[in-house]
Amino acid sequence: MPIKVLSVFGTRPEAIKMAPLVLELANRPEFDSLVCITAQHRQMLDGVLACFGITPDYDLDIMQEGQTLTDITSLVLNRLNDVLREVHPDIVLVHGDTTTAFASALCAFYLQIPVGHVEAGLRTFDRYSPFPEEMNRCLIGRLATCHFAPTVHNAENLKAENIAGDIFVTGNTVIDAMKYTVGDGSFSTPALKNLNFNERRVITLTCHRRENYGEPMENIFRAVRRIADKFNDVSFVYPVHLSPYVRETAKTFLGDTANVILTKPLDAMEMHRLMSKSYFVMTDSGGLQEEAPALGKPVLVLRRETERPEAVEAGTVALAGVDENRIFDLTCKLLTDSVMYNKMAKAVNPYGDGNACRRIADALLFSFGKSSCRPEDFHP
Ligand code: UD1
Ligand code: UDP
Protein backbone atom coordinates (compact mmCIF):
# COMPACT_ATOMS: atom_id res chain seq x y z
CA MET A 1 0.00 0.00 0.00
CA PRO A 2 1.36 3.47 -0.87
CA ILE A 3 1.85 5.94 1.97
CA LYS A 4 -1.06 8.37 1.94
CA VAL A 5 0.37 11.89 2.35
CA LEU A 6 -1.82 14.97 2.75
CA SER A 7 0.13 18.21 2.20
CA VAL A 8 -1.65 21.20 3.73
CA PHE A 9 -0.64 24.79 3.01
CA GLY A 10 -2.29 28.17 2.56
CA THR A 11 0.00 31.12 1.87
CA ARG A 12 2.23 32.16 -1.02
CA PRO A 13 5.60 31.22 0.53
CA GLU A 14 4.35 27.84 1.75
CA ALA A 15 3.00 27.11 -1.73
CA ILE A 16 6.27 28.03 -3.46
CA LYS A 17 8.22 25.82 -1.07
CA MET A 18 5.74 22.89 -0.98
CA ALA A 19 5.09 22.83 -4.75
CA PRO A 20 8.28 20.95 -5.72
CA LEU A 21 7.62 18.43 -2.92
CA VAL A 22 4.04 17.87 -4.09
CA LEU A 23 5.39 17.25 -7.60
CA GLU A 24 8.09 14.87 -6.27
CA LEU A 25 5.57 12.84 -4.23
CA ALA A 26 3.13 12.69 -7.15
CA ASN A 27 5.91 11.21 -9.31
CA ARG A 28 6.67 8.36 -6.93
CA PRO A 29 4.51 5.22 -6.91
CA GLU A 30 5.31 4.64 -3.21
CA PHE A 31 3.07 7.61 -2.32
CA ASP A 32 -0.58 8.48 -2.66
CA SER A 33 -0.20 12.28 -2.61
CA LEU A 34 -3.12 14.61 -1.88
CA VAL A 35 -3.16 18.39 -1.44
CA CYS A 36 -5.40 20.49 0.78
CA ILE A 37 -5.11 24.27 0.62
CA THR A 38 -6.53 26.44 3.38
CA ALA A 39 -6.36 29.50 1.10
CA GLN A 40 -5.28 31.70 4.00
CA HIS A 41 -4.09 33.67 0.96
CA ARG A 42 -6.46 33.53 -1.98
CA GLN A 43 -5.07 35.39 -5.00
CA MET A 44 -1.41 35.09 -4.00
CA LEU A 45 -1.78 31.33 -3.45
CA ASP A 46 -3.74 30.65 -6.63
CA GLY A 47 -1.01 32.39 -8.63
CA VAL A 48 1.62 29.99 -7.30
CA LEU A 49 -0.55 26.92 -7.92
CA ALA A 50 -0.99 28.04 -11.52
CA CYS A 51 2.77 28.56 -11.93
CA PHE A 52 3.47 24.97 -10.82
CA GLY A 53 0.40 23.38 -12.43
CA ILE A 54 -0.99 22.03 -9.14
CA THR A 55 -4.71 21.40 -8.68
CA PRO A 56 -5.60 20.93 -5.01
CA ASP A 57 -7.86 18.06 -3.94
CA TYR A 58 -9.43 20.13 -1.13
CA ASP A 59 -9.84 23.90 -0.73
CA LEU A 60 -10.89 25.23 2.69
CA ASP A 61 -11.27 28.75 1.24
CA ILE A 62 -10.85 30.55 4.58
CA MET A 63 -9.45 33.97 3.60
CA GLN A 64 -11.21 37.10 4.85
CA GLU A 65 -10.21 40.72 4.29
CA GLY A 66 -8.14 41.85 7.29
CA GLN A 67 -8.36 38.44 9.00
CA THR A 68 -7.13 38.00 12.56
CA LEU A 69 -4.93 35.18 13.80
CA THR A 70 -7.92 33.79 15.68
CA ASP A 71 -10.03 33.82 12.50
CA ILE A 72 -7.40 31.83 10.64
CA THR A 73 -6.82 29.34 13.45
CA SER A 74 -10.47 28.61 14.15
CA LEU A 75 -11.49 28.32 10.49
CA VAL A 76 -8.63 25.95 9.70
CA LEU A 77 -9.34 23.79 12.75
CA ASN A 78 -13.02 23.53 11.91
CA ARG A 79 -12.74 22.93 8.19
CA LEU A 80 -9.63 20.73 8.08
CA ASN A 81 -11.16 18.39 10.66
CA ASP A 82 -13.75 17.19 8.11
CA VAL A 83 -11.12 16.64 5.43
CA LEU A 84 -8.88 14.65 7.74
CA ARG A 85 -11.80 12.46 8.83
CA GLU A 86 -12.62 11.77 5.18
CA VAL A 87 -9.08 11.22 3.89
CA HIS A 88 -7.46 9.38 6.84
CA PRO A 89 -3.93 10.21 5.70
CA ASP A 90 -0.94 8.28 7.07
CA ILE A 91 0.80 11.62 7.58
CA VAL A 92 0.00 15.33 7.23
CA LEU A 93 2.80 17.55 5.94
CA VAL A 94 2.88 21.22 6.96
CA HIS A 95 5.42 23.89 6.14
CA GLY A 96 7.28 26.50 8.15
CA ASP A 97 5.64 28.88 10.57
CA THR A 98 2.36 30.28 9.29
CA THR A 99 -0.86 30.06 11.24
CA THR A 100 -2.16 27.67 8.58
CA ALA A 101 0.75 25.35 9.38
CA PHE A 102 0.25 25.56 13.16
CA ALA A 103 -3.54 25.08 13.07
CA SER A 104 -3.22 22.20 10.58
CA ALA A 105 -0.63 20.44 12.73
CA LEU A 106 -2.86 20.90 15.79
CA CYS A 107 -5.90 19.57 13.93
CA ALA A 108 -3.98 16.46 12.82
CA PHE A 109 -2.69 15.97 16.37
CA TYR A 110 -6.25 16.04 17.75
CA LEU A 111 -7.04 13.12 15.43
CA GLN A 112 -3.74 11.39 16.33
CA ILE A 113 -2.49 11.62 12.75
CA PRO A 114 1.33 11.94 12.48
CA VAL A 115 2.66 15.32 11.34
CA GLY A 116 5.75 15.97 9.21
CA HIS A 117 7.22 19.46 9.49
CA VAL A 118 8.97 20.81 6.41
CA GLU A 119 11.38 23.72 7.12
CA ALA A 120 11.70 22.76 10.78
CA GLY A 121 14.02 24.17 13.42
CA LEU A 122 14.33 27.86 12.46
CA ARG A 123 14.47 30.01 15.59
CA THR A 124 15.09 33.60 16.73
CA PHE A 125 14.43 32.70 20.38
CA ASP A 126 12.23 35.80 20.68
CA ARG A 127 8.60 34.73 21.16
CA TYR A 128 7.26 38.01 19.69
CA SER A 129 9.58 38.31 16.69
CA PRO A 130 8.73 37.30 14.08
CA PHE A 131 5.15 37.39 15.36
CA PRO A 132 3.39 34.99 15.47
CA GLU A 133 5.78 32.84 13.44
CA GLU A 134 8.36 32.09 16.14
CA MET A 135 5.71 30.63 18.43
CA ASN A 136 3.99 28.84 15.54
CA ARG A 137 7.13 26.97 14.57
CA CYS A 138 8.03 26.09 18.19
CA LEU A 139 4.54 24.64 18.70
CA ILE A 140 4.64 22.75 15.39
CA GLY A 141 7.96 21.30 16.52
CA ARG A 142 6.21 19.86 19.58
CA LEU A 143 3.30 18.49 17.54
CA ALA A 144 5.31 16.93 14.71
CA THR A 145 6.79 13.47 14.65
CA CYS A 146 9.06 13.93 11.63
CA HIS A 147 11.20 17.07 11.24
CA PHE A 148 12.74 18.12 7.95
CA ALA A 149 15.35 20.71 8.93
CA PRO A 150 16.88 22.68 6.05
CA THR A 151 20.33 23.04 7.67
CA VAL A 152 22.50 21.41 10.32
CA HIS A 153 22.06 24.59 12.38
CA ASN A 154 18.25 24.15 12.29
CA ALA A 155 18.61 20.48 13.33
CA GLU A 156 20.83 21.53 16.26
CA ASN A 157 18.11 23.92 17.43
CA LEU A 158 15.63 21.04 17.53
CA LYS A 159 18.03 18.73 19.35
CA ALA A 160 18.69 21.44 21.95
CA GLU A 161 14.92 21.48 22.63
CA ASN A 162 14.85 17.68 23.03
CA ILE A 163 12.22 17.52 20.31
CA ALA A 164 10.64 14.06 19.96
CA GLY A 165 10.73 12.22 16.63
CA ASP A 166 13.10 11.83 13.74
CA ILE A 167 15.16 14.81 12.48
CA PHE A 168 16.47 14.86 8.91
CA VAL A 169 18.71 17.57 7.40
CA THR A 170 17.32 18.01 3.93
CA GLY A 171 18.17 21.46 2.55
CA ASN A 172 15.42 23.98 1.88
CA THR A 173 12.87 23.11 -0.80
CA VAL A 174 12.97 26.74 -1.99
CA ILE A 175 16.19 25.92 -3.85
CA ASP A 176 14.35 23.02 -5.54
CA ALA A 177 11.54 25.45 -6.46
CA MET A 178 14.01 27.78 -8.14
CA LYS A 179 14.81 25.05 -10.68
CA TYR A 180 11.27 25.61 -11.99
CA THR A 181 11.06 29.39 -11.68
CA VAL A 182 14.40 30.93 -12.58
CA GLY A 183 14.99 31.35 -16.26
CA ASP A 184 15.38 33.91 -18.97
CA GLY A 185 12.41 35.71 -20.32
CA SER A 186 10.72 39.04 -20.41
CA PHE A 187 8.36 40.74 -17.97
CA SER A 188 4.65 40.93 -18.52
CA THR A 189 4.11 43.51 -15.74
CA PRO A 190 4.01 46.83 -17.65
CA ALA A 191 6.16 48.83 -15.18
CA LEU A 192 8.90 46.21 -15.40
CA LYS A 193 8.74 45.84 -19.18
CA ASN A 194 9.83 49.45 -19.56
CA LEU A 195 12.56 49.39 -16.94
CA ASN A 196 16.12 49.49 -18.31
CA PHE A 197 18.07 47.21 -16.00
CA ASN A 198 21.33 48.06 -17.81
CA GLU A 199 21.10 51.78 -17.17
CA ARG A 200 19.53 51.76 -13.73
CA ARG A 201 20.50 50.01 -10.51
CA VAL A 202 17.32 48.27 -9.45
CA ILE A 203 16.66 47.41 -5.81
CA THR A 204 13.96 44.82 -5.16
CA LEU A 205 12.05 45.80 -2.04
CA THR A 206 9.47 43.80 -0.06
CA CYS A 207 8.04 44.48 3.38
CA HIS A 208 5.01 42.83 4.94
CA ARG A 209 5.71 41.35 8.38
CA ARG A 210 3.18 41.89 11.17
CA GLU A 211 5.85 42.89 13.72
CA ASN A 212 6.89 45.68 11.30
CA TYR A 213 3.37 47.18 11.20
CA GLY A 214 3.40 50.74 12.55
CA GLU A 215 6.60 52.64 13.28
CA PRO A 216 9.12 50.09 11.92
CA MET A 217 7.40 49.97 8.52
CA GLU A 218 7.10 53.75 8.42
CA ASN A 219 10.83 54.07 9.26
CA ILE A 220 11.68 51.65 6.46
CA PHE A 221 9.60 53.56 3.91
CA ARG A 222 11.03 56.94 5.00
CA ALA A 223 14.56 55.57 4.53
CA VAL A 224 13.60 54.24 1.07
CA ARG A 225 12.25 57.67 0.08
CA ARG A 226 15.49 59.37 1.14
CA ILE A 227 17.60 56.87 -0.82
CA ALA A 228 15.42 57.25 -3.93
CA ASP A 229 15.83 61.06 -3.66
CA LYS A 230 19.59 60.87 -3.26
CA PHE A 231 20.50 58.39 -6.03
CA ASN A 232 19.19 59.31 -9.48
CA ASP A 233 20.37 56.09 -11.08
CA VAL A 234 18.53 53.86 -8.60
CA SER A 235 14.99 52.49 -9.01
CA PHE A 236 13.17 50.59 -6.31
CA VAL A 237 10.68 47.94 -7.40
CA TYR A 238 8.28 47.03 -4.60
CA PRO A 239 5.66 44.34 -5.34
CA VAL A 240 3.25 45.25 -2.56
CA HIS A 241 1.67 42.48 -0.47
CA LEU A 242 -2.15 42.42 -0.65
CA SER A 243 -2.60 43.02 3.10
CA PRO A 244 -4.83 46.14 3.40
CA TYR A 245 -2.52 47.59 6.08
CA VAL A 246 0.60 47.14 3.96
CA ARG A 247 -1.05 48.49 0.80
CA GLU A 248 -2.30 51.57 2.59
CA THR A 249 1.04 52.32 4.29
CA ALA A 250 3.04 51.76 1.09
CA LYS A 251 0.72 54.07 -0.83
CA THR A 252 0.88 56.78 1.83
CA PHE A 253 4.66 56.79 2.22
CA LEU A 254 5.88 55.78 -1.26
CA GLY A 255 2.95 56.29 -3.61
CA ASP A 256 4.19 59.50 -5.22
CA THR A 257 7.94 58.95 -4.90
CA ALA A 258 10.05 59.28 -8.04
CA ASN A 259 12.17 56.16 -8.68
CA VAL A 260 9.92 53.94 -6.57
CA ILE A 261 7.71 51.57 -8.56
CA LEU A 262 4.88 49.98 -6.60
CA THR A 263 3.41 46.92 -8.32
CA LYS A 264 0.87 44.24 -7.55
CA PRO A 265 2.36 40.96 -6.26
CA LEU A 266 4.37 39.31 -9.04
CA ASP A 267 4.05 35.69 -9.98
CA ALA A 268 6.94 33.59 -8.69
CA MET A 269 8.67 33.43 -12.08
CA GLU A 270 8.62 37.21 -12.56
CA MET A 271 9.67 37.75 -8.96
CA HIS A 272 12.72 35.55 -9.31
CA ARG A 273 13.54 37.17 -12.66
CA LEU A 274 13.28 40.60 -11.02
CA MET A 275 15.67 39.57 -8.24
CA SER A 276 18.13 38.05 -10.69
CA LYS A 277 18.26 41.35 -12.64
CA SER A 278 18.43 43.55 -9.52
CA TYR A 279 21.50 45.19 -8.02
CA PHE A 280 20.47 44.04 -4.56
CA VAL A 281 17.46 43.21 -2.37
CA MET A 282 15.96 44.91 0.70
CA THR A 283 13.38 42.81 2.51
CA ASP A 284 11.75 41.57 5.70
CA SER A 285 10.69 38.37 3.90
CA GLY A 286 11.97 34.98 4.95
CA GLY A 287 11.97 33.44 1.48
CA LEU A 288 13.87 36.29 -0.17
CA GLN A 289 16.70 35.86 2.34
CA GLU A 290 17.16 32.35 0.98
CA GLU A 291 16.58 33.02 -2.73
CA ALA A 292 18.69 36.17 -3.24
CA PRO A 293 21.97 34.62 -1.98
CA ALA A 294 21.47 31.75 -4.44
CA LEU A 295 21.21 34.37 -7.20
CA GLY A 296 24.38 36.19 -6.04
CA LYS A 297 22.45 39.25 -4.84
CA PRO A 298 23.29 41.07 -1.58
CA VAL A 299 20.41 41.36 0.88
CA LEU A 300 19.70 44.01 3.52
CA VAL A 301 17.25 42.50 6.01
CA LEU A 302 14.69 44.99 7.32
CA ARG A 303 14.25 43.33 10.69
CA ARG A 304 15.87 43.33 14.11
CA GLU A 305 16.89 39.68 13.93
CA THR A 306 16.81 36.73 11.59
CA GLU A 307 16.20 33.03 12.01
CA ARG A 308 18.37 32.52 8.93
CA PRO A 309 21.93 33.23 10.12
CA GLU A 310 23.66 31.03 7.54
CA ALA A 311 23.81 33.66 4.76
CA VAL A 312 24.77 36.37 7.27
CA GLU A 313 27.71 34.17 8.25
CA ALA A 314 28.53 33.65 4.56
CA GLY A 315 28.66 37.46 4.19
CA THR A 316 25.93 37.96 1.58
CA VAL A 317 23.16 39.10 3.93
CA ALA A 318 23.35 41.99 6.42
CA LEU A 319 20.88 42.91 9.16
CA ALA A 320 19.82 46.50 8.55
CA GLY A 321 17.24 46.66 11.36
CA VAL A 322 14.21 48.95 11.38
CA ASP A 323 15.78 52.29 12.31
CA GLU A 324 15.45 54.90 9.54
CA ASN A 325 18.97 56.34 9.80
CA ARG A 326 20.65 52.97 10.08
CA ILE A 327 18.83 51.64 7.00
CA PHE A 328 19.64 54.83 5.09
CA ASP A 329 23.35 54.74 6.04
CA LEU A 330 23.81 51.03 5.30
CA THR A 331 22.01 51.27 1.94
CA CYS A 332 24.08 54.33 0.92
CA LYS A 333 27.22 52.39 1.81
CA LEU A 334 26.19 49.40 -0.28
CA LEU A 335 25.43 51.73 -3.20
CA THR A 336 28.77 53.57 -3.01
CA ASP A 337 31.33 51.11 -1.63
CA SER A 338 32.25 48.70 -4.40
CA VAL A 339 34.48 46.60 -2.13
CA MET A 340 31.54 45.98 0.23
CA TYR A 341 29.22 45.32 -2.71
CA ASN A 342 31.56 42.80 -4.37
CA LYS A 343 32.09 40.98 -1.09
CA MET A 344 28.34 40.55 -0.65
CA ALA A 345 27.48 39.81 -4.29
CA LYS A 346 28.74 36.26 -4.46
CA ALA A 347 26.45 33.33 -5.06
CA VAL A 348 26.20 31.14 -1.98
CA ASN A 349 23.80 28.31 -1.27
CA PRO A 350 23.87 27.56 2.44
CA TYR A 351 20.17 26.63 2.29
CA GLY A 352 20.04 23.81 -0.21
CA ASP A 353 21.36 22.01 -3.27
CA GLY A 354 18.09 21.44 -5.11
CA ASN A 355 17.63 17.90 -3.74
CA ALA A 356 15.61 18.65 -0.61
CA CYS A 357 12.40 17.12 -1.96
CA ARG A 358 14.10 13.88 -2.90
CA ARG A 359 15.57 13.67 0.62
CA ILE A 360 12.19 14.36 2.23
CA ALA A 361 10.48 11.67 0.14
CA ASP A 362 13.30 9.21 0.99
CA ALA A 363 13.04 10.17 4.67
CA LEU A 364 9.31 9.44 4.63
CA LEU A 365 9.95 5.98 3.17
CA PHE A 366 12.59 5.38 5.85
CA SER A 367 10.28 6.59 8.66
CA PHE A 368 7.42 4.36 7.51
CA GLY A 369 9.76 1.34 7.32
CA LYS A 370 9.44 1.09 3.52
CA SER A 371 13.18 1.59 3.04
CA SER A 372 16.17 0.74 5.21
CA CYS A 373 18.16 3.57 3.65
CA ARG A 374 18.28 6.79 5.68
CA PRO A 375 18.88 9.69 3.28
CA GLU A 376 22.24 11.42 3.60
CA ASP A 377 22.18 14.82 5.34
CA PHE A 378 22.45 18.00 3.27
CA HIS A 379 25.75 19.84 3.66
CA PRO A 380 26.48 23.00 1.67
C1 UD1 B 1 1.05 35.44 6.26
C2 UD1 B 1 1.82 34.65 7.34
C3 UD1 B 1 3.30 35.05 7.33
C4 UD1 B 1 3.90 34.99 5.94
C5 UD1 B 1 3.04 35.75 4.97
C6 UD1 B 1 3.57 35.55 3.58
C7 UD1 B 1 0.59 34.11 9.39
C8 UD1 B 1 0.13 34.58 10.71
N1 UD1 B 1 1.29 34.97 8.65
O1 UD1 B 1 1.08 36.79 6.68
O2 UD1 B 1 4.01 34.17 8.20
O3 UD1 B 1 5.19 35.56 5.99
O4 UD1 B 1 1.68 35.25 5.02
O5 UD1 B 1 3.09 36.50 2.69
O6 UD1 B 1 0.31 32.99 9.01
N2 UD1 B 1 -4.64 39.17 1.27
C9 UD1 B 1 -5.39 39.19 0.13
N3 UD1 B 1 -5.12 38.28 -0.85
C10 UD1 B 1 -4.13 37.37 -0.74
C11 UD1 B 1 -3.35 37.35 0.43
C12 UD1 B 1 -3.63 38.25 1.44
O7 UD1 B 1 -6.29 40.01 -0.02
O8 UD1 B 1 -3.91 36.58 -1.67
C13 UD1 B 1 -4.94 40.15 2.33
C14 UD1 B 1 -6.22 39.80 3.11
O9 UD1 B 1 -6.90 40.98 3.43
C15 UD1 B 1 -5.68 39.17 4.38
C16 UD1 B 1 -4.41 39.99 4.59
O10 UD1 B 1 -3.88 40.17 3.28
O11 UD1 B 1 -6.59 39.27 5.46
C17 UD1 B 1 -3.36 39.40 5.49
O12 UD1 B 1 -3.12 38.05 5.15
P1 UD1 B 1 -2.61 37.03 6.32
O13 UD1 B 1 -2.38 35.69 5.71
O14 UD1 B 1 -3.50 37.10 7.48
O15 UD1 B 1 -1.25 37.67 6.82
P2 UD1 B 1 0.13 37.90 6.05
O16 UD1 B 1 0.68 39.19 6.53
O17 UD1 B 1 -0.06 37.67 4.61
N1 UDP C 1 7.17 36.44 -4.02
C1 UDP C 1 6.45 36.41 -5.20
N2 UDP C 1 5.87 37.57 -5.66
C2 UDP C 1 5.96 38.73 -4.97
C3 UDP C 1 6.69 38.75 -3.75
C4 UDP C 1 7.27 37.56 -3.30
O1 UDP C 1 6.35 35.38 -5.86
O2 UDP C 1 5.41 39.73 -5.44
C5 UDP C 1 7.78 35.18 -3.53
C6 UDP C 1 9.24 35.25 -3.15
O3 UDP C 1 10.09 35.07 -4.25
C7 UDP C 1 9.35 34.14 -2.13
C8 UDP C 1 8.02 34.18 -1.44
O4 UDP C 1 7.12 34.83 -2.33
O5 UDP C 1 9.46 32.87 -2.76
C9 UDP C 1 8.13 34.94 -0.16
O6 UDP C 1 6.88 35.24 0.33
P1 UDP C 1 6.62 36.33 1.42
O7 UDP C 1 7.69 37.35 1.40
O8 UDP C 1 5.21 36.76 1.24
O9 UDP C 1 6.66 35.48 2.77
P2 UDP C 1 7.82 34.99 3.75
O10 UDP C 1 8.87 34.28 2.97
O11 UDP C 1 8.35 36.19 4.46
O12 UDP C 1 7.10 34.11 4.71
Side-chain angles (χ1 to χ4, degrees):
M1 283 282 280
I3 303 168
K4 194 187 260 193
V5 180
L6 183 70
S7 301
V8 186
F9 49 90
T11 65
R12 170 175 65 193
E14 292 168 271
I16 290 173
K17 291 169 165 182
M18 286 298 276
L21 181 55
V22 166
L23 298 176
E24 172 82 20
L25 295 175
N27 268 333
R28 295 224 195 170
E30 306 97 315
F31 296 100
D32 176 8
S33 169
L34 296 165
V35 172
C36 173
I37 56 167
T38 66
Q40 173 180 334
H41 287 172
R42 185 72 274 172
Q43 301 89 328
M44 283 159 52
L45 175 73
D46 290 346
V48 179
L49 295 173
C51 252
F52 286 89
I54 291 172
T55 307
D57 300 283
Y58 299 90
D59 183 348
L60 307 183
D61 198 24
I62 67 155
M63 197 193 87
Q64 299 168 4
E65 167 106 359
Q67 59 206 359
T68 65
L69 299 175
T70 307
D71 292 333
I72 302 167
T73 308
S74 50
L75 283 170
V76 170
L77 275 175
N78 274 315
R79 295 189 189 171
L80 184 60
N81 187 54
D82 295 340
V83 174
L84 294 182
R85 282 176 180 280
E86 181 188 322
V87 175
H88 292 294
D90 295 310
I91 188 164
V92 167
L93 295 184
V94 300
H95 182 278
D97 51 22
T98 65
T99 295
T100 277
F102 163 60
S104 304
L106 182 62
C107 193
F109 171 74
Y110 283 162
L111 295 172
Q112 299 191 9
I113 297 168
V115 174
H117 188 197
V118 181
E119 198 178 89
L122 281 69
R123 296 286 186 272
T124 61
F125 304 102
D126 177 343
R127 59 165 48 209
Y128 290 116
S129 191
F131 177 80
E133 290 82 4
E134 176 73 2
M135 188 54 76
N136 281 345
R137 58 197 173 210
C138 288
L139 296 171
I140 298 168
R142 287 283 154 203
L143 296 165
T145 43
C146 235
H147 311 267
F148 306 109
T151 67
V152 169
H153 175 79
N154 303 145
E156 296 300 331
N157 286 340
L158 294 171
K159 286 177 197 159
E161 289 173 15
N162 290 321
I163 286 282
D166 237 342
I167 302 172
F168 300 91
V169 181
T170 60
N172 198 306
T173 58
V174 77
I175 306 297
D176 300 35
M178 290 175 82
K179 291 197 283 196
Y180 294 87
T181 57
V182 175
D184 274 345
S186 49
F187 291 103
S188 61
T189 305
L192 300 186
K193 254 189 198 164
N194 304 327
L195 191 57
N196 189 335
F197 287 82
N198 297 322
E199 286 178 4
R200 303 197 63 74
R201 290 188 290 175
V202 172
I203 300 177
T204 299
L205 170 70
T206 77
C207 186
H208 75 277
R209 304 218 75 83
R210 273 171 205 257
E211 71 276 9
N212 275 343
Y213 284 12
E215 204 183 315
M217 198 173 279
E218 294 173 11
N219 288 343
I220 291 165
F221 292 162
R222 271 194 287 266
V224 166
R225 212 161 54 191
R226 283 170 59 196
I227 298 153
D229 277 352
K230 188 175 158 91
F231 294 91
N232 286 330
D233 69 324
V234 167
S235 286
F236 284 88
V237 177
Y238 177 9
V240 183
H241 190 290
L242 291 178
S243 150
Y245 178 83
V246 176
R247 284 169 71 179
E248 195 53 42
T249 315
K251 199 168 146 225
T252 306
F253 282 81
L254 297 173
D256 57 357
T257 311
N259 301 338
V260 177
I261 299 168
L262 302 182
T263 72
K264 293 201 173 111
L266 303 178
D267 74 41
M269 299 205 183
E270 279 214 337
M271 183 65 190
H272 291 174
R273 196 170 302 142
L274 169 65
M275 276 196 281
S276 72
K277 287 174 177 271
S278 290
Y279 193 56
F280 60 84
V281 173
M282 294 174 68
T283 190
D284 67 358
S285 158
L288 266 68
Q289 290 178 59
E290 295 153 346
E291 294 161 349
L295 295 167
K297 302 299 170 180
V299 182
L300 299 182
V301 177
L302 306 169
R303 288 173 49 180
R304 292 191 184 87
E305 35 47 32
T306 178
E307 59 290 271
R308 294 167 169 87
E310 293 87 349
V312 179
E313 278 155 24
T316 65
V317 170
L319 263 186
V322 291
D323 173 78
E324 178 186 334
N325 288 331
R326 187 173 142 70
I327 296 168
F328 177 77
D329 291 345
L330 195 59
T331 310
C332 290
K333 193 157 165 34
L334 191 53
L335 282 165
T336 51
D337 181 340
S338 59
V339 175
M340 176 188 179
Y341 180 85
N342 289 329
K343 252 184 165 170
M344 289 182 75
K346 53 180 191 222
V348 294
N349 245 334
Y351 298 111
D353 57 1
N355 293 311
C357 297
R358 178 185 55 74
R359 285 194 193 90
I360 293 170
D362 289 346
L364 285 169
L365 294 179
F366 178 74
S367 288
F368 278 87
K370 304 263 182 184
S371 154
S372 56
C373 228
R374 192 184 161 91
E376 85 290 3
D377 280 356
F378 160 70
H379 288 284

